[in-house]
Amino acid sequence: MPRISLHKVYSSQATPSLRLQEDHKSYNKYQRRKGKTKKVLHQIQDIQLMDLKVDYAFKQLFGSEKNKEITVVFLNAILAKSGRSPVKQLFFQNIEIGGEYEEDKKSRLDLLIETDNKEIINIEIQINNEYNMVNRALYYWSRIFSEQLKEGQNYKTLYPVISINIMHFDLLKEPDAYHNIFRLYEMNQKYPLTDRIEFHFVEIPKLISAWKKNQLNPWEDVLTRWLLLLETVDRQTNHFYNDIYQELEEIAVEDKSLNVAMRFWEDLGRTKEERLAYEACLKQILDERSKLLDREQLEQEMEEIRAQKKVMEMQKEEIEAGNQEIETRNQEMEMRNQEIETQNQEMQDKMEKEEIRRKRLNLHWENLQNRWRSACWSKE
């Protein structure tokens, strides 16, 4: 029987060098950022840009009807890595799943999309690491896949469900690849079982690490530029990547979709309602992060206490073992003393008996001498 497993079909390994041709038109543009002097672009210092990894801002940019064309470009950049057909049209779906029964767990998704290719795509963007990402992605995928089937429908009506997970933390053991794709494959011969299941895991920290090492070329890779856009602002550390922003501005001169996205992004949050909604969402994320850090610190302290307790228990066991050894030695010494006392008593008894025997012998010898003297006197 063949064994089936989720098998990685794509890994975005960072290249050791860009290996661009000298005559390529994008090469000089890419090299410009290495020696570029700082300059002001669109008065960026005066613009309070939102962190696009915050789900409110992400949904405003990629989950609104007026930005469908941007979302199509972004999705195609991701799906192209797994060889899927380009999306031409998409439809935003209800983002709540579950709840068929009262006791069911309800989950609110970040972004749920149906494409003109009949693919259902769930995009989740996660800033805080709650150490349940893989199981969470599997759970969401299973609920979305199963809820396609209505009563009386045939299983053939089930279409692919693609799970895209963008994370602001490291998840997988792959050291360099920031984008990994998994499908269901036979474990030995690696042939696919179905294209109905597909998981994308995008790890932003690895992307930034590759960026800092000059291993990425957003001029050539569409997905790279969109992912860099998401990381340009990091409100958790209050960091703004000015070099990324400047390069994206240059790329946006030729990339119309990116240009539209950046102008929409700069306008986002200018109204009080938008800013309050964003700040509330950001506050919730930061509060959750604070709780996670407190929990991690508490777990670390508990681990240190457990380690100290274990050391103390080991020391206690060593002390008890030492005391037991001392007690055993004391018992052995006591037994040895008893043996010596017994030997001394036996020796004393023997000496007393020997003394009695000696006295008897002396007395007997005296009696013999007296008898001999008496016999001699009698003869005289």
Side-chain angles (χ1 to χ4, degrees):
M1 179 181 295
R3 297 182 298 164
I4 308 299
S5 67
L6 276 173
H7 181 68
K8 182 164 66 177
V9 298
Y10 171 81
S11 180
S12 61
Q13 293 289 348
T15 55
S17 62
L18 292 173
R19 295 192 295 269
L20 299 178
Q21 298 297 326
E22 290 290 333
D23 59 345
H24 197 286
K25 66 178 181 179
S26 68
Y27 179 75
N28 291 331
K29 293 179 181 179
Y30 184 81
Q31 291 297 93
R32 249 183 280 165
R33 85 173 160 100
K34 293 184 178 179
K36 190 188 304 178
T37 57
K38 293 183 178 179
K39 58 183 178 179
V40 178
L41 296 173
H42 291 279
Q43 297 299 319
I44 190 63
Q45 291 86 348
D46 299 330
I47 298 175
Q48 295 297 318
L49 289 173
M50 290 185 178
D51 186 343
L52 292 175
K53 297 182 297 300
V54 176
D55 52 1
Y56 173 81
F58 184 84
K59 291 173 186 176
Q60 292 299 310
L61 181 58
F62 294 107
S64 63
E65 290 288 336
K66 58 184 176 182
N67 290 334
K68 269 189 174 182
E69 292 183 4
I70 293 175
T71 309
V72 167
V73 174
F74 177 62
L75 277 182
N76 283 333
I78 295 177
L79 299 180
K81 305 297 183 179
S82 60
R84 290 193 176 271
S85 301
V87 176
K88 297 179 180 178
Q89 181 62 273
L90 55 82
F91 311 92
F92 296 110
Q93 303 296 311
N94 176 29
I95 57 176
E96 187 171 82
I97 59 172
E100 182 179 356
Y101 302 100
E102 290 185 3
E103 65 273 15
D104 278 359
K105 176 181 175 65
K106 290 186 178 181
S107 300
R108 194 166 181 82
L109 306 175
D110 286 345
L111 200 57
L112 189 63
I113 297 170
E114 182 179 346
T115 72
D116 55 337
N117 299 325
K118 297 298 182 181
E119 298 161 332
I120 300 176
I121 301 172
N122 173 35
I123 304 179
E124 293 293 315
I125 187 157
Q126 190 73 12
I127 292 181
N128 296 323
N129 187 2
E130 298 179 4
Y131 303 98
N132 60 5
M133 195 65 213
V134 174
N135 285 345
R136 180 175 177 172
L138 285 167
Y139 175 79
Y140 284 173
W141 181 92
S142 65
R143 296 307 297 260
I144 297 169
F145 189 75
S146 62
E147 288 185 6
Q148 291 184 75
L149 200 63
K150 307 303 179 184
E151 186 175 356
Q153 287 185 325
N154 192 285
Y155 290 111
K156 293 181 179 179
T157 61
L158 292 169
Y159 292 103
V161 173
I162 303 167
S163 173
I164 299 173
N165 304 277
I166 303 171
M167 302 157 295
H168 196 238
F169 53 86
D170 291 337
L171 175 70
L172 304 174
K173 294 181 179 179
E174 186 72 47
D176 298 322
Y178 63 87
H179 181 199
N180 291 282
I181 304 173
F182 294 85
R183 282 186 181 174
L184 207 58
Y185 275 71
E186 201 282 324
M187 289 183 64
N188 296 321
Q189 300 183 26
K190 310 302 180 186
Y191 61 84
L193 178 67
T194 177
D195 66 345
R196 296 296 191 267
I197 180 171
E198 183 171 300
F199 290 92
H200 294 246
F201 292 101
V202 178
E203 299 163 278
I204 298 295
K206 294 178 181 177
L207 172 85
I208 295 302
S209 177
W211 161 263
K212 291 178 178 179
K213 297 175 183 177
N214 291 330
Q215 295 174 339
L216 299 179
N217 182 4
W219 291 91
E220 295 298 316
D221 191 339
V222 177
L223 179 58
T224 294
R225 68 185 70 159
W226 287 100
L227 295 178
L228 286 173
L229 180 70
L230 295 180
E231 183 58 13
T232 302
V233 176
D234 183 2
R235 288 304 179 201
Q236 283 189 314
T237 59
N238 286 324
H239 185 75
F240 173 69
Y241 289 94
N242 188 55
D243 52 350
I244 293 179
Y245 183 84
Q246 290 183 10
E247 183 154 9
L248 292 179
E249 280 283 14
E250 291 190 20
I251 296 174
V253 174
E254 298 181 3
D255 187 335
K256 179 182 177 181
S257 296
L258 182 62
N259 196 341
V260 172
M262 294 187 73
R263 302 293 79 80
F264 179 87
W265 177 33
E266 291 173 358
D267 290 335
L268 187 61
R270 292 190 182 275
T271 67
K272 182 178 179 181
E273 292 77 11
E274 289 177 338
R275 179 57 59 178
L276 288 176
Y278 167 77
E279 293 294 343
C281 201
L282 177 61
K283 182 180 183 301
Q284 182 180 358
I285 291 173
L286 295 178
D287 288 345
E288 289 175 356
R289 177 175 174 79
S290 178
K291 291 178 182 178
L292 286 171
L293 291 176
D294 290 343
R295 186 191 310 166
E296 290 175 358
Q297 183 178 358
L298 179 60
E299 290 176 352
Q300 184 178 357
E301 291 175 355
M302 292 298 295
E303 185 64 30
E304 290 175 357
I305 292 173
R306 284 192 289 268
Q308 292 175 358
K309 183 179 179 181
K310 187 175 181 179
V311 170
M312 292 176 64
E313 288 177 351
M314 291 175 63
Q315 291 175 345
K316 182 180 178 182
E317 290 176 358
E318 290 176 357
I319 292 172
E320 290 177 352
N323 291 337
Q324 183 65 36
E325 185 178 355
I326 292 173
E327 185 178 352
T328 301
R329 288 182 179 178
N330 288 338
Q331 291 176 353
E332 291 175 352
M333 290 179 66
E334 185 177 351
M335 292 176 62
R336 181 60 180 165
N337 289 335
Q338 289 178 354
E339 290 177 359
I340 292 172
E341 288 179 3
T342 301
Q343 291 175 357
N344 289 338
Q345 185 65 42
E346 291 176 352
M347 182 64 69
Q348 186 176 354
D349 292 345
K350 185 176 180 181
M351 290 174 66
E352 289 177 355
K353 289 179 180 179
E354 184 64 26
E355 181 65 21
I356 293 172
R357 191 179 70 83
R358 187 182 64 77
K359 288 180 179 180
R360 286 178 179 176
L361 287 173
N362 289 338
L363 182 60
H364 180 66
W365 175 249
E366 288 178 0
N367 289 334
L368 287 175
Q369 285 182 336
N370 289 333
R371 288 172 62 186
W372 180 77
R373 290 192 190 98
S374 297
C376 288
W377 290 341
S378 299
K379 289 180 181 181
E380 291 179 355

